[in-house]
Amino acid sequence: VSLQMMKHAWDNYKRYAWGLNELKPISKQGHSSNLFGNIQGATIVDALDTLYIMEMKEEFKEAKEWVEKNLDFNVNAEISVFEVNIRFVGGLLSAYYLSGEEVFRKKAVELGEKLLPAFNTPTGIPWALLNIKSGIGRNWPWASGGSSILAEFGTLHLEFVHLSHLSGNPVFAEKVMNIRKVLNRLDKPEGLYPNYLNPSSGQWGQHHVSIGGLGDSFYEYLLKAWLMSDKTDEDGKKMYYDAVQAIETHLIRKSSGGLTYIAEWKGGLLEHKMGHLTCFAGGMFALGADGAPSDKTGHHIELGAEIARTCHESYDRTRMKLGPEAFRFDGGVEAIATRQNEKYYILRPEVIETYMYMWRLTHDPKYREWGWEAVEALEKHCRVDGGYSGIRDVYNNHESHDDVQQSFFLSETLKYLYLLFSEDDLLPFEHWVFNTEAHPLPILHKDDENKEENQK
Ligand code: DMJ
């Protein structure tokens, strides 16, 4: 089914928005997000590996030809370093590792080089925004006191390690290892990492902590850096398990109805709200269970299962059986959105991602059942003639479509669904880690490096 869904999403993108960043499936035209500046083709680059994995050979070929002929980084544009890294660099790297086609390696390294000026700050903590022609960077105007964002500068590690590996140029890995160093020198309130860090002073901004937006994939990348290094990156490992310990103590709570959730922390006060984005953490806890201190393995799996259940409830308690952007545990509600501007669903993957990890790691059939419920809801409410659209209010009787087919729907949501219903030997966890946009990157095995050394 996810293959049919991918075909529908891809065919319509091709028909109405080919070469542009995303598709507007209702108005049947292109959608351009300023996150990518003038760089074009986000959906194509984000979808390459999904097309490859689903064996959509014709489509993969036309996507590759587009990349060869049209993907151009010599544009005068300000881009989000994080978004371009996870979608474009990540997408190109996966396409290279899966297909072996040189063009993807070349483009990934070329783009990586364009991103390097973002690190020209007093601390080496990169800017959020970068003009890739002039090399001038800055931060989001809304970010606390000119800060860079934890989930942005903390979500470059996997891709940059691979860029060094593939280019032979150590500069990429050096840049991200320096971020680690800066973080390790800083005092952390209660062992937690605030979402804001000033790249000039090297000091934290506001003490807001979140495992959802602004924080999320920083934690994910600590764990995955360790896994991707074939478990040699002890620093990444320690930072991850220490962080999870602090998160458990200060952020994880249980509702009176028995639902485990991860709250947000604002200078010591808890906001009892959990974002859809935070739901990825169920999969992360389960994936990290194996490496947890020996008495904690079962506990981390259990934590993953409880988060999966809570996030499933957030879907089940809506009219459309699709989860809201954020749900709350206060004022007498549990796992329900109370504010109008938190009731939307924009085709996000995190809940399905967690089902996929839980399925692979436990084989409890309920995760496939829950995934199937999501497929039915997507087909019923998000599928339109011209592709798939987000929904403005998942509690409503009637769909009000937001008219955007996000590129992560093709790279993540549909890929995780496909993997949920595939055998475990498709992209097995022993050999691959997924970047935060679901682009698989190979684990750099110790043995392979020895082999390479010997060959030299
Ligand atoms: C994606 O771009 C990535 O998963 C990112 O980590 C968070 N936001 C979207 C999906 O919701």
Side-chain angles (χ1 to χ4, degrees):
V1 184
S2 38
L3 198 141
Q4 290 310 317
M5 296 170 79
M6 182 69 182
K7 249 196 122 8
H8 184 66
W10 178 262
D11 286 348
N12 281 291
Y13 166 76
K14 189 176 149 190
R15 188 169 310 134
Y16 301 117
W18 184 246
L20 303 173
N21 280 326
E22 291 173 318
L23 164 70
K24 283 163 101 48
I26 305 281
S27 38
K28 301 185 174 167
Q29 59 185 34
H31 171 73
S32 57
S33 153
N34 49 9
L35 297 171
F36 317 119
N38 284 335
I39 303 181
Q40 297 296 320
T43 294
I44 298 179
V45 178
D46 236 0
L48 281 164
D49 54 7
T50 309
L51 295 172
Y52 190 91
I53 293 159
M54 294 186 179
E55 297 180 51
M56 294 171 65
K57 301 212 167 109
E58 261 312 298
E59 290 85 350
F60 181 79
K61 191 164 155 267
E62 63 202 6
K64 184 191 132 197
E65 284 167 7
W66 186 89
V67 169
E68 269 164 346
K69 293 199 193 103
N70 302 296
L71 184 60
D72 182 13
F73 308 126
N74 293 311
V75 290
N76 181 6
E78 188 177 61
I79 51 107
S80 154
V81 175
F82 161 78
E83 296 289 353
V84 166
N85 177 61
I86 65 170
R87 301 191 203 210
F88 284 83
V89 178
L92 291 165
L93 287 172
S94 286
Y96 172 68
Y97 281 114
L98 290 168
S99 72
E101 299 277 0
E102 176 64 13
V103 58
F104 299 128
R105 190 189 71 88
K106 217 180 101 234
K107 294 270 180 190
V109 175
E110 190 192 318
L111 180 54
E113 284 166 356
K114 292 261 175 207
L115 297 182
L116 286 174
F119 295 83
N120 294 337
T121 63
T123 55
I125 295 291
W127 300 112
L129 299 164
L130 177 73
N131 181 304
I132 54 173
K133 178 149 192 243
S134 67
I136 293 175
R138 65 177 178 119
N139 274 337
W140 298 106
W142 48 260
S144 163
S147 290
S148 302
I149 304 291
L150 183 69
E152 298 198 324
F153 65 76
T155 311
L156 305 167
H157 198 100
L158 305 181
E159 296 81 2
F160 275 54
V161 165
H162 269 289
L163 286 175
S164 280
H165 182 76
L166 287 181
S167 66
N169 183 351
V171 67
F172 302 103
E174 285 164 10
K175 297 289 182 202
V176 289
M177 289 316 290
N178 175 62
I179 297 178
R180 285 266 188 90
K181 251 194 248 148
V182 174
L183 289 173
N184 277 323
R185 274 202 302 264
L186 279 164
D187 277 340
K188 285 163 273 299
E190 310 284 355
L192 296 165
Y193 290 84
N195 292 335
Y196 301 103
L197 178 60
N198 189 301
S200 305
S201 66
Q203 298 300 313
W204 299 118
Q206 274 174 319
H207 284 194
H208 288 184
V209 177
S210 169
I211 314 307
L214 309 186
D216 49 8
S217 42
F218 161 70
Y219 304 95
E220 175 185 356
Y221 271 36
L222 293 176
L223 171 63
K224 289 180 176 176
W226 174 61
L227 295 174
M228 201 179 82
S229 72
D230 208 4
K231 307 192 177 173
T232 59
D233 178 359
E234 291 294 330
D235 228 26
K237 178 183 188 187
K238 181 171 182 346
M239 289 169 80
Y240 173 71
Y241 290 104
D242 286 353
V244 172
Q245 185 59 55
I247 290 165
E248 268 215 82
T249 310
H250 298 286
L251 270 58
I252 298 191
R253 294 291 178 264
K254 206 178 212 128
S255 70
S256 48
L259 295 177
T260 300
Y261 62 96
I262 312 178
E264 312 245 320
W265 194 86
K266 299 199 165 161
L269 294 179
L270 282 188
E271 188 178 11
H272 298 271
K273 156 183 154 177
M274 184 163 170
H276 192 287
L277 290 164
T278 321
C279 288
F280 91 97
M284 177 179 75
F285 292 144
L287 181 66
D290 207 21
S294 51
D295 53 325
K296 290 270 173 73
T297 299
H299 175 66
H300 281 215
I301 287 271
E302 191 44 40
L303 205 52
E306 287 180 25
I307 298 299
R309 184 163 76 95
T310 299
C311 292
H312 174 258
E313 285 301 317
S314 82
Y315 275 48
D316 204 46
R317 295 175 186 196
T318 69
R319 180 94 58 179
M320 296 193 185
K321 307 291 171 196
L322 291 166
E325 180 68 4
F327 43 93
R328 298 191 176 251
F329 296 85
D330 58 17
V333 307
E334 299 206 351
I336 290 180
T338 50
R339 305 186 182 186
Q340 194 53 40
N341 64 0
E342 294 175 344
K343 294 183 178 172
Y344 62 88
Y345 171 69
I346 55 168
L347 305 173
R348 286 198 193 280
E350 292 77 17
V351 175
I352 292 168
E353 172 181 353
T354 279
Y355 296 162
M356 191 280 292
Y357 280 101
M358 292 310 302
W359 163 256
R360 282 243 177 141
L361 296 163
T362 69
H363 291 129
D364 184 332
K366 77 174 171 225
Y367 297 112
R368 280 189 166 172
E369 286 159 23
W370 291 352
W372 190 251
E373 290 170 12
V375 167
E376 287 181 323
L378 285 165
E379 290 300 275
K380 192 161 172 206
H381 302 292
C382 300
R383 187 185 178 113
V384 294
D385 262 4
Y388 288 88
S389 167
I391 298 279
R392 289 213 176 82
D393 181 350
V394 289
Y395 299 92
N396 216 310
N397 276 327
H398 302 286
E399 296 94 13
S400 166
H401 290 119
D402 71 0
D403 199 14
V404 183
Q405 178 175 285
Q406 306 277 347
S407 79
F408 53 67
F409 183 64
L410 293 88
S411 73
E412 296 197 70
T413 313
L414 294 179
K415 188 187 288 130
Y416 286 135
L417 275 173
Y418 189 75
L419 292 174
L420 174 61
F421 293 101
S422 297
E423 297 301 317
D424 295 354
D425 60 2
L426 180 59
L427 300 173
F429 291 173
E430 303 92 80
H431 295 300
W432 299 89
V433 296
F434 294 88
N435 93 336
T436 196
E437 188 80 359
H439 296 304
L441 298 171
I443 289 178
L444 296 168
H445 288 291
K446 289 176 258 186
D447 300 351
D448 296 353
E449 271 172 35
N450 291 339
K451 261 185 247 151
E452 279 170 33
E453 281 303 313
N454 290 341
Q455 277 163 4
K456 278 182 207 156

